[in-house]
Amino acid sequence: MVILKSHKVHGGTLSYCRHASEATGTPMTFSIFIPAGEGPFPLLVWLSGLTCTEDNFTTKAGAYGAAAAAGLAIVAPDTSPRGQGVADDLAYDLGQGAGFYVDATQEPWAKHFQMESYITGDLLAVVGQDFPVDLARVGISGHSMGGHGALTLALRHSNLFRSVSAFAPICSPSRCDWGRKAFTAYLGAHETAWMPHDACVLIEAGAAKFDDILVDQGTGDDFLESQLKPELLAAACKAAGQTLTLRMQPGYDHSYFFMTSFIADHVAWHAARL
């Protein structure tokens, strides 16, 4: 693990890092904020959305003041493997920048696009080894594609994550164009392979329950009806007895202006559970 650069912020330290990932077979990058003090600190994993890198949340979300006050570390990884020899697509919603936090089984993606294994394995391992964080106290959150990732990884790996929240998540990727396109490419044409990566299906099937799931969704989001479908998540949670706090925020869109308006709530929400 190499620290590429670091900055002092809100009394803590923000570092940009690169390390070799066994899961993806490529170098991977992430940012990590460590608050002042000795630690070990609880850790929040942030997963970004389509087209993002580790830099979008880091520079736009405005999370570190709240994280410093709560004594919470935050790690924000890149959204996919990148580099020479890594498969890509001309469209923004497939390939580099669009890993969807699944382990691809189809060519040409399977060689490098192993993002579920990366997040739950290599990333946590390197952060736990090189920074003062407590891997027994980890939460996960994200936006859009990353909100989908946060929900599904938490439900699939409840042994790793103790809290989960999301901003404008793709709630049921098997029932929207973004998800169906990505799942067909990464997991194949048979929809049975998609179901273990759809949060609504996982909840309906009895996935491990959390005390609560926090979701913020803007009513002015252009993707609300066509891609995100929070009503499906609400219905799945109600049917399964999973507590869901779904906050429909009037007029907010899909941008980081939305996230920076409510990120302190999510930081405090995770800190209280970690």
Side-chain angles (χ1 to χ4, degrees):
M1 197 278 297
V2 177
I3 295 178
L4 303 173
K5 58 181 178 179
S6 62
H7 307 276
K8 195 77 172 178
V9 57
H10 291 289
T13 302
L14 172 68
S15 300
Y16 285 84
C17 306
R18 182 177 64 233
H19 71 115
S21 166
E22 182 177 350
T24 68
T26 67
M28 294 294 293
T29 51
F30 62 88
S31 74
I32 184 166
F33 171 76
I34 301 294
E38 295 183 3
F41 302 100
L43 176 69
L44 177 62
V45 178
W46 173 269
L47 304 181
S48 291
L50 288 168
T51 75
C52 289
T53 70
E54 76 283 355
D55 202 39
N56 295 74
F57 172 85
T58 307
T59 58
K60 295 180 179 181
Y64 300 131
L72 183 69
I74 304 180
V75 62
D78 199 354
T79 54
S80 78
R82 301 179 191 268
Q84 187 175 4
V86 176
D88 200 7
D89 190 272
L90 293 177
Y92 76 95
D93 54 357
L94 189 67
Q96 295 185 34
F100 268 83
Y101 304 103
V102 299
D103 286 350
T105 60
Q106 306 299 303
E107 298 302 332
W109 312 105
K111 182 177 181 181
H112 298 297
F113 281 72
Q114 301 293 309
M115 287 300 293
E116 179 174 7
S117 291
Y118 171 68
I119 298 296
T120 60
D122 294 353
L123 178 68
L124 290 180
V126 72
V127 170
Q129 175 178 302
D130 292 321
F131 295 93
V133 299
D134 182 357
L135 294 185
R137 294 184 292 157
V138 182
I140 190 165
S141 186
H143 168 236
S144 194
M145 178 185 71
H148 141 74
L151 292 171
T152 56
L153 295 188
L155 293 165
R156 287 169 58 80
H157 301 274
S158 59
N159 59 314
L160 298 179
F161 302 109
R162 287 174 48 177
S163 58
V164 56
S165 74
F167 285 86
I170 302 172
C171 293
S172 187
S174 68
R175 288 177 277 186
C176 74
D177 289 345
W178 277 344
R180 293 180 66 85
K181 177 180 179 178
F183 282 2
T184 299
Y186 297 145
L187 303 174
H190 296 291
E191 295 187 13
T192 53
W194 306 354
M195 297 304 113
H197 304 282
D198 184 308
C200 291
V201 174
L202 288 168
I203 291 168
E204 290 166 352
K209 288 184 171 61
F210 289 80
D211 71 319
D212 197 359
I213 297 173
L214 174 62
V215 172
D216 273 313
Q217 173 64 62
T219 64
D221 192 322
D222 290 341
F223 305 111
L224 175 58
E225 295 183 2
S226 61
Q227 305 286 4
L228 306 178
K229 304 179 185 295
E231 71 280 2
L232 298 179
L233 181 65
C237 287
K238 182 178 180 180
Q242 167 63 63
T243 302
L244 171 68
T245 298
L246 174 60
R247 308 193 305 183
M248 300 300 294
Q249 303 290 3
Y252 284 89
D253 61 19
H254 201 68
S255 73
Y256 267 88
F257 295 113
F258 169 43
M259 280 168 280
T260 194
S261 299
F262 300 102
I263 192 66
D265 292 352
H266 285 244
V267 168
W269 193 87
H270 284 278
R273 287 159 174 77
L274 299 177

